Amino acid sequence: MEMLISIRAAQKDDTQTVLEVLQEAALWLEGRGESMWKADEISLDSIAPDVLKGMFFLAERENEVAGVVKFQLEDPLFWPDVPPGEAAYVHRLAVRRKFAGGLVSTALLQWAVQHTRELGRPFLRLDCEAGRPKVRAVYERFGFQHHSDRQVGPYFVARYEYDCREA
């Protein structure tokens, strides 16, 4: 049976849910010895403003939140060296363990590509920790191309882009 997934903007009332999905993913990764985000990066204080700005989107299956992604139009922290306005950026992609398996993350990335096209931007970009081959493989299988590596504060990241001009 096909899993129908819908994507919608998170509302103020969804802030706690966004936080729970991010924390669930972080705890799962920590349990595997692969810590992802620092506690202050996924606190209520750090995500609430971005939810209110309309930057978080929810993937739902049968009215249950299955995953989240942060979608933004500029990323001066991780991509300061690229022209403004040519890309959209995704961060904080997380899927509840109950829905693990790739369908939710793929749906969120497909939505982000389509939304980037609708905005008339040629690229969708993201970054991930350079030393995480499994995460990198997920993005590469989707179609992201490695752009470059960059040191950003404590993070050494691999930067990827998806050409949204392709059919």
Side-chain angles (χ1 to χ4, degrees):
M1 182 172 165
E2 188 177 336
M3 182 164 80
L4 298 176
I5 300 168
S6 61
I7 312 291
R8 68 171 177 87
Q11 304 300 311
K12 181 180 180 181
D13 292 350
D14 296 311
T15 304
Q16 186 63 38
T17 302
V18 170
L19 180 63
E20 289 168 5
V21 174
L22 292 171
Q23 289 176 335
E24 179 182 325
L27 285 171
W28 179 75
L29 285 165
E30 258 179 49
R32 297 170 45 117
E34 304 175 24
S35 64
M36 181 72 130
W37 301 302
K38 295 178 181 3
D40 65 336
E41 293 176 312
I42 54 169
S43 68
L44 194 56
D45 289 342
S46 69
I47 67 155
D50 291 337
V51 172
L52 290 176
K53 289 178 196 168
M55 298 172 93
F56 273 97
F57 292 81
L58 307 175
E60 294 180 324
R61 177 180 176 231
E62 298 173 4
N63 296 318
E64 186 177 351
V65 174
V68 302
V69 69
K70 182 179 173 186
F71 184 91
Q72 56 197 73
L73 297 179
E74 302 299 332
D75 188 354
L77 181 61
F78 287 91
W79 293 84
D81 54 331
V82 297
E86 74 172 13
Y89 304 84
V90 291
H91 286 284
R92 305 276 187 266
L93 176 63
V95 176
R96 288 189 186 269
R97 297 310 314 145
K98 174 181 176 180
F99 297 101
L103 294 177
V104 174
S105 59
T106 297
L108 284 164
L109 290 172
Q110 287 171 338
W111 171 86
V113 166
Q114 185 57 39
H115 195 50
T116 301
R117 285 181 176 141
E118 290 166 0
L119 294 169
R121 298 199 175 201
F123 299 105
L124 177 64
R125 293 185 173 131
L126 56 79
D127 63 84
C128 63
E129 202 170 304
R132 295 192 107 122
K134 289 179 185 174
V135 173
R136 294 178 70 162
V138 167
Y139 296 131
E140 290 167 6
R141 276 193 306 273
F142 183 85
F144 280 88
Q145 300 293 315
H146 181 256
H147 178 282
S148 56
D149 296 326
R150 186 174 186 89
Q151 186 73 43
V152 180
Y155 299 108
F156 184 65
V157 298
R159 301 189 309 172
Y160 283 87
E161 70 182 12
Y162 186 96
D163 190 337
C164 295
R165 298 169 296 188
E166 298 173 0

